[in-house]
Amino acid sequence: MAFETWLIYLLAAIGLSLSPGPNGLLALTHGALHGRRMTLYTILGSCIGFIIVIALSMFGIGALLNASLAWLTVLKWVGGAYLVWLGIQVWRSPPIGITDYTAVASRSPGSLFRQGALAAISNPKVILFFAAFLPQFIDPSRSLLVQFVVLAGTFAVVEFSIELVVASLANRISKWLTKVGRRFNQGCGAAFIAIGVALPLPLRS
């Protein structure tokens, strides 16, 4: 993967991690209820869940590419359209807060880990996102396993870092989201729309 492509992926991964979602809300809630140290189990579970979803998405895409490289072009355009749609949904979504999360939180490290992992694996939007998102960065001429390690590792580090910050500053962030959460969502939504429009287009040398 070219360094420039990886930088684009890194920025997109940061945008995804910052956008409203179950895992960010779990980190926010558990950080407020249990503190940063216990929430590390939730965050670790989230990262493992995302790695599993990325693996399923990438190797499923790889199977399609083995059948025909034309599928990559199809996936890029369909994925771009989905990212635009997702951006519109994020733009229109209301601000989130700690009171939005209604599940009973447990103090058991195993329970916190499972909640984080299940929030990532069971969210159909996450699965659809990666199925739409990853084809933009896959190079069929290079090792799919190496690309998986790079893409999954990058996203896991980004997600872990952002969720840790959210958990550490849970009370302050919750108050901030109440005030400016809608504008924040609009910024994330605009970023997804821009990515969805730009990524399927062929690069010009």
Side-chain angles (χ1 to χ4, degrees):
M1 176 183 294
F3 181 69
E4 294 81 4
T5 303
W6 178 81
L7 280 179
I8 296 173
Y9 175 81
L10 175 62
L11 292 175
I14 292 172
L16 174 60
S17 295
L18 287 173
S19 64
N23 290 90
L25 189 52
L26 265 178
L28 184 69
T29 305
H30 287 183
L33 294 176
H34 306 310
R36 181 177 63 178
R37 184 174 179 181
M38 287 296 292
T39 308
L40 285 174
Y41 293 102
T42 307
I43 298 171
L44 182 59
S46 296
C47 292
I48 296 299
F50 281 123
I51 289 173
I52 291 172
V53 172
I54 292 173
L56 293 173
S57 299
M58 281 197 69
F59 292 108
I61 292 166
L64 284 177
L65 296 183
N66 287 334
S68 172
L69 288 178
W71 278 108
L72 183 60
T73 301
V74 173
L75 288 171
K76 284 186 175 183
W77 283 101
V78 172
Y82 173 75
L83 293 177
V84 171
W85 178 85
L86 182 63
I88 294 172
Q89 299 305 307
V90 171
W91 177 290
R92 298 172 59 185
S93 62
I96 62 173
I98 289 177
T99 55
D100 294 328
Y101 189 68
T102 58
V104 178
S106 171
R107 284 189 174 274
S108 164
S111 296
L112 297 179
F113 179 89
R114 286 192 297 273
Q115 286 184 45
L118 289 174
I121 295 173
S122 64
N123 185 355
K125 289 184 179 180
V126 171
I127 299 171
L128 287 173
F129 178 87
F130 281 114
F133 182 58
L134 294 175
Q136 321 294 338
F137 300 96
I138 293 176
D139 184 348
S141 65
R142 300 188 179 185
S143 168
L144 191 63
L145 180 60
V146 172
Q147 292 180 83
F148 163 72
V149 171
V150 172
L151 296 176
T154 298
F155 187 83
V157 170
V158 169
E159 184 70 18
F160 185 91
S161 302
I162 290 177
E163 286 194 24
L164 182 60
V165 171
V166 168
S168 301
L169 303 175
N171 292 318
R172 294 182 183 179
I173 290 176
S174 181
K175 295 176 182 178
W176 176 78
L177 284 174
T178 301
K179 296 179 180 179
V180 301
R182 186 172 294 278
R183 291 195 296 274
F184 179 76
N185 292 351
Q186 290 173 348
C188 292
F192 282 133
I193 292 171
I195 292 169
V197 170
L199 282 180
L201 300 176
L203 297 175
R204 296 180 180 178
S205 56

